[in-house]
Amino acid sequence: MNDAPAWAARLRAERTSRQWSQRQLARRLAEVSGAELPEPESLIRIIRGHERGEHRPDDRYAELYCRAYSLSEAVLFDAAEEIEELGDEIDAMELVRRAEASDVGRDTLERLETAVDDLASAYPSSPPGVLLGRVRRHLGYVSRLLDGRKTITEHRRLLVSGGWLSLLGATCHIDLHQYTPAAARLRTAVQLARHAGHAELTAWCVETEAWQVLVDGDYQRAVTLSQGAQAIAPKGSSVFIQATAQEGRAWARLGDGPATRDALNRVHRLVSPLSPPDRPEHHYRYDPAKSDAYTATTLSWIGDPAAVPYARQVLARLDTGADGRPRPRRAALARLDLALALLATDQPDEAVDVTLAAIRSGEIVPSSYWRTSEIITGVERRALPEASALRDAYSELCVRRRAENRR
């Protein structure tokens, strides 16, 4: 418990100060909810996960805790501190700009570009709703700077920063299944990239759309967009590799084995001479270790038994941080890959355990819920007794999704 976040310790302290058991708290949450919650045992597991700091409560549960304890969100979850910290970040850049006696200056642009890199690096480990708030604040600052006086070079750099931020915002919206604002931000990113003449950013926009339609089940369009991104991208760039990997995943969903393996082979040839980037967690810098994770996903989707050892190897590295610091969100997806591969190789019992671990990690975002549903359907077809527990856990995921979509 000593390593738990401060908000998790506060949740536990508020409960114990009232001498409530977790079961009593579950009853209290149900009373203040006014809507259906998971059955008591599932709710107790959720409370336990929150108090251990395994995953931060989403908006719905945060509100319920505030009602149950009659406390504000700022007091219970330090929301005010987060907002103040973000304001400090923007204010620091604004102070530099004023010190330069210019509407836009070199130091201001450099600090803004560093902030963009920091946000892109925070993507793998940040809840998409939280990261989206930071992206919005920075986009507002870019908009103000674009209204000021600046040189042609400064204008282009602002367009590029605004483009990356808009693209990252679109990605967060897709993670949350908020497709209308995602499309708007993606259009903005494309326009800014084209105005700036930035081929790499333009290609990332197309690749991101390919990912969105893949998640939405339009696999043929995902192939077309992935190939389009490769045509735009600088050869051998991070986005060129990512778009090639995305093409392979789309072919796998279409059940085209030769095309799938051709794409995988192209990715492996592109990745083999690469060294890890300075910031492997950066969403727009291809990390060679990511290649194995994509291979595991792609092989599991096409039903290749080789997906099992691949996924086990990827998961072991992610859980231990062998490729750097642990990456819990990527590890959760690796568990889904492993579970699907285990089902294909007639190992359903382990598949159930692995899927439950992925769900309870709190690291699966809405854009990956369909993958969980696919596994559950496979388990239910086998009429395993554990299917009901898996379905209950998935129902909780769906509750989170509805809460996030209401934001």
Side-chain angles (χ1 to χ4, degrees), residues 36-39 42-43 45-46 58 60-61 355-356 359-360 369 372-373 376 380 387-403:
E36 185 176 351
L37 289 179
E39 52 89 18
S42 294
L43 192 52
R45 286 196 295 269
I46 292 167
D58 61 25
R60 184 191 189 196
Y61 280 100
T355 305
L356 279 173
I359 293 173
R360 291 170 180 168
Y369 287 176
T372 311
S373 179
I376 293 172
E380 289 176 335
S388 59
L390 205 53
R391 177 60 67 180
D392 287 344
Y394 179 65
S395 296
E396 167 57 19
L397 276 183
C398 292
V399 168
R400 294 185 201 175
R401 174 176 172 178
R402 287 193 294 270

Side-chain angles (χ1 to χ4, degrees), residues 246-268:
Q246 202 70 272
E247 180 191 346
R249 297 207 304 175
W251 283 125
R253 298 305 297 185
L254 288 167
D256 191 326
T260 300
R261 288 176 174 80
D262 174 68
L264 285 175
N265 289 335
R266 281 184 279 139
V267 171
H268 292 161

Side-chain angles (χ1 to χ4, degrees), residues 43 71 85 103 233 236:
L43 192 52
L71 294 172
E85 180 181 343
D103 284 353

Side-chain angles (χ1 to χ4, degrees), residues 19-33:
Q19 297 183 334
W20 292 352
S21 67
Q22 290 178 337
R23 186 172 297 278
Q24 288 172 315
L25 175 57
R27 284 200 293 269
R28 179 60 181 156
L29 293 180
E31 290 170 0
V32 301
S33 172

Side-chain angles (χ1 to χ4, degrees), residues 159-171:
L159 291 177
V160 173
S161 291
W164 286 120
L165 288 168
S166 296
L167 178 60
L168 187 57
T171 304

Side-chain angles (χ1 to χ4, degrees), residues 116 139 142 157-169 185 188-190 192-193 201 205 284:
V116 171
L139 276 169
V142 170
R157 289 173 69 179
L158 277 177
L159 291 177
V160 173
S161 291
W164 286 120
L165 288 168
S166 296
L167 178 60
L168 187 57
R185 291 199 185 276
T188 299
V190 170
L192 293 175
L201 177 54
C205 292
Y284 301 113

